[in-house]
């Protein structure tokens, strides 16, 4: 057998082996991606069910406080606090109330309850009409939880909520395709450790359900910002 033919034959086999290994590697990547997507989908579905159960329990507790406890303390100083708790536990009527007004109401109630100065800037040109009622509830709870974390952990004297439009890189010429950005910040202690508490995990779970991007931006002794970017249609 000529030497040139032997070399050609070996190169062919080497080429076949390389192509086969490459195809096997690509198959592995494909199935690994599919498995990761299934796991992510299952995780989101589990989070959805868990949060749905939490909302059901919130409604039950609110009704029991209102129907069983409140009548016995009506007229006492504590009755106003119980009414406030009931209102916070029950979801707002998004078909009747403006979501921008609800954001402002969260800030006002937070400031009144905690004594922490809370300012808010909500651009007039943003609209939540494309956001479904279910996703509005998740977003509402995210904002509530963010302020609860400020109250419990930040030791802050000031808080701020900003809501505005932010350019969507994938948008068309239609300006309404801009995403919505909501930032809740304080000037407190910031994150004291890398470990996230239940409140932050709940925020991440709800953000995943509504396909929103959430970031916790913290600098030592310079407060914490919760940044939520909501897709234009969600």
């Amino acid at each position: 057998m000529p030497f040139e033919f032997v070399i050609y034959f070996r190169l062919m086999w080497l080429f076949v082996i390389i192509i086969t290994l490459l195809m096997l590697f690509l198959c592995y990547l494909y199935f690994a991606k599919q498995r990761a997507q299934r796991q992510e989908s299952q995780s989101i579905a589990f989070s959805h069910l868990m949060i749905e159960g939490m909302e059901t329990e919130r409604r039950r507790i609110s009704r029991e406080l209102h129907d069983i406890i409140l009548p016995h303390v009506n007229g006492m100083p504590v009755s106003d606090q119980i009414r406030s708790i009931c209102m916070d536990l029950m979801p707002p009527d998004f078909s009747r109330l403006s979501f921008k007004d609800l954001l402002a109401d969260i800030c006002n109630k937070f400031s009144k309850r905690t004594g922490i100065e809370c300012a808010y800037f909500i651009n007039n040109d943003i609209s939540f009409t494309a956001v479904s009622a279910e996703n509005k509830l998740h977003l509402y709870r995210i904002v509530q939880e963010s302020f609860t974390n400020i109250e419990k952990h930040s030791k802050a004297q000031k808080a701020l909520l900003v809501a505005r439009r932010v350019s969507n890189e994938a948008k068309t010429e239609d300006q309404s395709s801009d995403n919505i950005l909501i930032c809740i910040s304080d000037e407190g202690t910031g994150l004291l450790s890398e470990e996230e508490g239940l409140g932050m995990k709940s925020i991440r779970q709800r953000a995943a359900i509504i396909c929103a991007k959430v970031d916790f931006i913290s600098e030592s002794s310079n407060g914490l910002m919760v940044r939520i970017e909501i897709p234009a249609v969600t």
Side-chain angles (χ1 to χ4, degrees):
M1 182 180 295
F3 179 74
E4 291 81 0
F5 183 80
V6 173
I7 296 297
Y8 175 76
F9 184 78
R10 289 179 178 177
L11 287 175
M12 280 193 61
W13 270 108
L14 181 61
F15 178 76
V16 169
I17 291 171
I18 291 174
I19 292 298
T20 302
L21 291 175
L22 180 60
M23 292 297 295
L24 289 173
F25 179 68
L26 290 175
C27 288
Y28 169 79
L29 289 180
Y30 173 78
F31 287 113
K33 182 181 178 181
Q34 292 290 101
R35 184 170 61 252
Q37 288 176 339
R38 285 196 301 270
Q39 290 175 345
E40 182 181 5
S41 178
Q42 291 171 354
S43 177
I44 291 175
F46 175 76
S47 296
H48 193 281
L49 288 173
M50 184 180 68
I51 290 173
E52 187 177 300
M54 289 170 55
E55 289 296 335
T56 300
E57 189 66 10
R58 282 173 181 262
R59 294 185 182 93
R60 184 188 68 80
I61 293 172
S62 178
R63 286 194 299 269
E64 291 187 358
L65 284 174
H66 184 273
D67 298 339
I68 299 175
I69 305 299
L70 191 58
H72 294 285
V73 297
N74 199 22
M76 299 181 185
V78 72
S79 63
D80 289 339
Q81 295 179 352
I82 293 177
R83 286 192 183 91
S84 178
I85 292 171
C86 290
M87 291 180 64
D88 287 339
L89 288 173
M90 289 294 287
D93 183 359
F94 296 112
S95 63
R96 185 175 60 87
L97 301 172
S98 161
F99 196 79
K100 289 189 282 188
D101 290 340
L102 288 171
L103 290 179
D105 186 58
I106 290 176
C107 295
N108 291 329
K109 286 182 177 178
F110 169 79
S111 184
K112 183 178 179 181
R113 183 180 71 250
T114 64
I116 299 173
E117 181 182 341
C118 184
Y120 55 88
F121 300 94
I122 303 172
N123 283 14
N124 291 327
D125 62 351
I126 64 172
S127 173
F128 292 90
T129 55
V131 183
S132 68
E134 180 182 357
N135 288 353
K136 282 179 182 175
L137 178 57
H138 287 301
L139 186 56
Y140 182 82
R141 295 302 190 202
I142 287 173
V143 175
Q144 274 188 324
E145 188 61 49
S146 298
F147 278 110
T148 298
N149 286 341
I150 292 176
E151 179 182 359
K152 289 182 177 180
H153 308 297
S154 73
K155 300 179 182 178
Q157 298 301 314
K158 294 181 181 180
L160 173 67
L161 180 145
V162 175
R164 62 180 178 85
R165 293 196 310 188
V166 62
S167 179
N168 177 9
E169 294 179 357
K171 74 172 185 176
T172 63
E173 293 181 357
D174 181 9
Q175 191 68 13
S176 64
S177 64
D178 283 348
N179 291 347
I180 300 171
L181 178 66
I182 298 178
C183 295
I184 302 104
S185 58
D186 64 75
E187 36 74 281
T189 56
L191 288 176
L192 300 180
S193 68
E194 295 298 322
E195 184 177 357
E196 294 184 357
L198 290 176
M200 297 177 76
K201 290 178 181 178
S202 173
I203 289 173
R204 288 197 185 278
Q205 288 175 333
R206 289 185 183 272
I209 290 172
I210 64 175
C211 299
K213 180 182 178 183
V214 62
D215 294 300
F216 299 99
I217 304 169
S218 176
E219 296 181 8
S220 180
S221 301
N222 197 29
L224 173 68
M225 174 186 289
V226 182
R227 186 184 186 278
I228 312 112
E229 186 171 338
I230 305 101
V233 178
T234 182

